[in-house]
Amino acid sequence: DTGVSQDPRHKITKRGQNVTFRCDPISEHNRLYWYRQTLGQGPEFLTYFQNEAQLEKSRLLSDRFSAERPKGSFSTLEIQRTEQGDSAMYLCASSFVPGLALQGGEQFFGPGTRLTVL
Amino acid sequence: GIQVEQSPPDLILQEGANSTLRCNFSDSVNNLQWFHQNPWGQLINLFYIPSGTKQNGRLSATTVATERYSLLYISSSQTTDSGVYFCAVVRGSTLGRLYFGRGTQLTVWP
């Protein structure tokens, strides 16, 4: 078990370009979360999946953002037509939730993808 | 949402000192985690503590869910303890998302 991994670790792009990030969760974890962190702030929730189903999306997730987890394993987060305000650290986390448990389980975070939009 | 407030925002200590970080939250929670964010941005799990007290080496944490606060104790601090400490909660009526505080920036001098 190597933990949550994210790729790439850094991305520099020009305004208006599309970018895609990948997250590989801990192998037995069925929940996967995306968060965004800007300088001096705590991470803010974007969306999460249980297996392949996207169960919740934040209002922060504009229509330029889309996330998928097609086979219930890895996930991708795509940002279309990037803007300078999208510059942030994008964090992925995973957890295991047994059956119909109400609690979300302990979340473990990846190293993040730092996005800079010029 | 739920408000998560951490105090103090900044803390400067000399090596060997003890410290207490506080996390207050505005609603009932069913999950609370403490993290340490290192200079590279990695969030490291310290405690998963919806209620009660846990200890791990020089660190311990206590959550009093009925009074809506949690405390993180660091004893005999070391320079490697420097970084940002975050408290994050899952609101009682929801299943997933963590709500984070703004963190406590800890600096430990040799």
Side-chain angles (χ1 to χ4, degrees), chain A residues 41-43, chain B residues 1-7 22-29 31-34 68-70 85-91 97-103:
Chain A
Q41 304 293 322
Chain B
I2 183 171
Q3 305 303 311
V4 181
E5 295 182 357
Q6 292 187 243
S7 59
R22 187 176 181 101
C23 173
N24 292 334
F25 39 94
S26 61
D27 203 348
S28 62
V29 300
N31 177 13
L32 188 145
Q33 292 186 241
W34 283 97
R68 299 182 182 171
Y69 74 89
S70 183
Y85 289 79
F86 285 105
C87 168
V89 302
V90 175
R91 195 170 157 201
R97 66 162 73 180
L98 281 171
Y99 290 86
F100 281 79
R102 295 190 64 173

Side-chain angles (χ1 to χ4, degrees), chain A residues 14-101:
Chain A
K14 292 183 179 178
R15 189 176 53 188
Q17 298 294 305
N18 300 342
V19 295
T20 300
F21 310 141
R22 177 179 170 125
C23 171
D24 287 87
I26 293 170
S27 59
E28 66 270 23
H29 284 186
N30 53 0
R31 283 210 178 172
L32 187 148
Y33 309 80
W34 286 99
Y35 294 84
R36 181 172 70 185
Q37 185 178 22
T38 53
L39 201 62
Q41 304 293 322
E44 293 178 295
F45 170 80
L46 292 177
T47 187
Y48 84 87
F49 295 83
Q50 177 141 343
N51 300 313
E52 63 275 7
Q54 190 172 18
L55 295 187
E56 188 178 3
K57 292 194 291 186
S58 163
R59 279 172 280 183
L60 290 176
L61 212 66
S62 76
D63 56 6
R64 296 185 298 105
F65 288 70
S66 62
E68 294 183 341
R69 195 183 183 199
K71 298 182 180 179
S73 56
F74 73 91
S75 175
T76 58
L77 177 69
E78 181 183 16
I79 308 174
Q80 296 183 325
R81 305 181 303 281
T82 52
E83 302 172 356
Q84 288 183 326
D86 297 331
S87 295
M89 174 79 93
Y90 289 83
L91 296 163
C92 175
S94 71
S95 70
F96 175 70
V97 179
L100 298 175

Side-chain angles (χ1 to χ4, degrees), chain B residues 9-107:
Chain B
D10 297 281
L11 188 57
I12 300 173
L13 301 173
Q14 193 137 29
E15 211 168 20
N18 303 329
S19 60
T20 301
L21 282 58
R22 187 176 181 101
C23 173
N24 292 334
F25 39 94
S26 61
D27 203 348
S28 62
V29 300
N30 60 30
N31 177 13
L32 188 145
Q33 292 186 241
W34 283 97
F35 298 93
H36 177 210
Q37 190 165 44
N38 67 20
W40 298 272
Q42 173 80 57
L43 283 166
I44 298 164
N45 289 42
L46 298 177
F47 294 101
Y48 172 67
I49 185 166
S51 63
T53 297
K54 292 186 177 180
Q55 180 152 9
N56 184 4
R58 296 181 296 105
L59 274 60
S60 64
T62 295
T63 297
V64 185
T66 53
E67 297 186 21
R68 299 182 182 171
Y69 74 89
S70 183
L71 301 174
L72 177 68
Y73 305 96
I74 304 174
S75 65
S76 304
S77 56
Q78 301 175 358
T79 55
T80 52
D81 294 332
S82 296
V84 184
Y85 289 79
F86 285 105
C87 168
V89 302
V90 175
R91 195 170 157 201
S93 59
T94 66
L95 300 182
R97 66 162 73 180
L98 281 171
Y99 290 86
F100 281 79
R102 295 190 64 173
T104 292
Q105 173 75 58
L106 175 64
T107 303

